[in-house]
Amino acid sequence: MITVKKSKQQIQQESKKERIENYKKKNAIINLENVWKKYAYKRLENNELALNHILEHVTVVSMINRIGNTFYNAWRKNSRLTLNDFQSVLYERAWIIIENYSWDSNYYLFEHLNHGLIQSCKDLLRVEGLTKKRINSRTHFHKATSMNGDFQNKDELVAEKYRVESEAIINIWIEQNLNESERKVAKLLIRDCKTTLDDVCEELSLKYRQQAKRVIEKIQDKWSNFNIR
């Protein structure tokens, strides 16, 4: 039997599909990718017209509206920024991301947009002096979900103090990337920095603390993967 060796591109595309297999937004991710493929051909004739077409796609518009409203609602009482201010930077960033996207990226367009649009709102807040100096996004959620000490020997294990630039940012990520149990734990950790494994067990009706530990580790892994790009 002859075995055909897969190309690097084939392996990469298969890996991308496997990674999102259980994502809640899987269908939206694939649908937007198919729309982008059509755009890639149409832009050879008229790039601006094709780009405007994909910017008006329901998935892109929905992402911009959702993220814009989330940030605006979180900051409207503490700043002079309007919803239009957020939407303006969101559309500008979406334009750049779509125009520079390539099918051979390790991440889908949907993922680039989600990550980039959130970052554009963070940048706007930073320019307005509404947030502190940029923190390491690779580690700040990991710190929030890491327990101190030996899981097997201590009765009470305390989550490290959790700090984020904006509650809106983390809430968006939680809703989009975690399953129901993980969302409960993530919100519990954010709500109380003294959350213990016993608290997690009680929240999820788990029998063993090791089960709670595994849930926290899954959240950490997802957050790390989300921030590697």
Side-chain angles (χ1 to χ4, degrees):
M1 182 177 179
I2 300 176
T3 302
V4 179
K5 186 177 181 180
K6 295 181 180 179
S7 67
K8 182 179 179 180
Q9 288 78 11
Q10 287 177 314
I11 295 174
Q12 180 196 49
Q13 294 303 312
E14 289 178 2
S15 177
K16 285 167 66 173
K17 288 181 180 179
E18 290 175 2
R19 181 170 52 77
I20 68 166
E21 187 61 36
N22 296 317
Y23 280 22
K24 186 169 67 173
K25 297 286 186 177
K26 175 185 174 181
N27 290 337
I29 293 173
I30 297 301
N31 288 339
L32 185 59
E33 198 70 13
N34 291 332
V35 171
W36 180 86
K37 290 176 182 177
K38 294 179 181 178
Y39 153 74
Y41 287 109
K42 290 181 179 179
R43 68 178 175 181
L44 297 175
E45 301 175 2
N46 189 323
N47 181 60
E48 187 169 343
L49 183 63
L51 189 53
N52 282 327
H53 183 265
I54 193 171
L55 280 170
E56 294 171 357
H57 188 268
V58 61
T59 300
V60 177
V61 173
S62 177
M63 291 177 73
I64 289 174
N65 288 339
R66 173 175 45 77
I67 294 173
N69 277 296
T70 300
F71 274 88
Y72 170 65
N73 289 331
W75 288 94
R76 62 181 178 178
K77 293 182 180 180
N78 301 308
S79 75
R80 291 181 294 179
L81 290 172
T82 66
L83 178 58
N84 185 64
D85 291 327
F86 284 106
Q87 289 182 329
S88 179
V89 296
L90 286 167
Y91 272 104
E92 182 178 350
R93 183 64 64 89
W95 180 291
I96 294 172
I97 291 172
I98 294 171
E99 195 168 38
N100 293 322
Y101 178 69
S102 173
W103 70 274
D104 62 353
S105 168
N106 288 326
Y107 294 89
Y108 287 103
L109 176 59
F110 183 99
E111 297 175 288
H112 281 285
L113 281 170
N114 188 65
H115 185 77
L117 294 180
I118 291 174
Q119 186 60 52
S120 70
C121 288
K122 291 166 62 177
D123 291 342
L124 175 61
L125 293 173
R126 193 172 296 112
V127 168
E128 293 294 321
L130 297 172
T131 61
K132 295 182 179 180
K133 188 182 296 185
R134 189 170 187 172
I135 61 176
N136 188 340
S137 62
R138 292 171 180 253
T139 61
H140 73 267
F141 189 77
H142 176 84
K143 289 181 179 179
T145 56
S146 63
M147 296 290 189
N148 294 320
D150 185 340
F151 284 100
Q152 295 180 344
N153 298 326
K154 287 191 176 181
D155 292 331
E156 186 173 359
L157 302 171
V158 183
E160 293 181 11
K161 190 173 181 179
Y162 185 76
R163 292 189 63 189
V164 294
E165 292 182 53
S166 168
E167 184 177 326
I169 301 169
I170 198 67
N171 283 336
I172 290 173
W173 180 82
I174 287 173
E175 293 302 322
Q176 289 190 343
N177 295 277
L178 304 184
N179 61 36
E180 184 178 357
S181 295
E182 292 165 349
R183 285 198 294 271
K184 288 181 179 180
V185 174
K187 291 177 180 179
L188 184 65
L189 289 163
I190 293 171
R191 190 165 59 245
D192 185 358
C193 66
K194 294 185 178 180
T195 297
T196 66
L197 289 178
D198 290 330
D199 294 330
V200 175
C201 287
E202 182 178 353
E203 179 71 20
L204 300 183
S205 299
L206 300 176
K207 187 175 181 180
Y208 303 107
R209 295 166 68 200
Q210 188 66 22
Q211 293 174 293
K213 177 187 174 183
R214 282 198 292 269
V215 174
I216 293 171
E217 288 174 342
K218 286 181 180 179
I219 297 172
Q220 292 174 345
D221 289 342
K222 289 184 178 182
W223 180 253
S224 297
N225 290 333
F226 178 73
N227 282 283
I228 60 176
R229 43 194 188 279

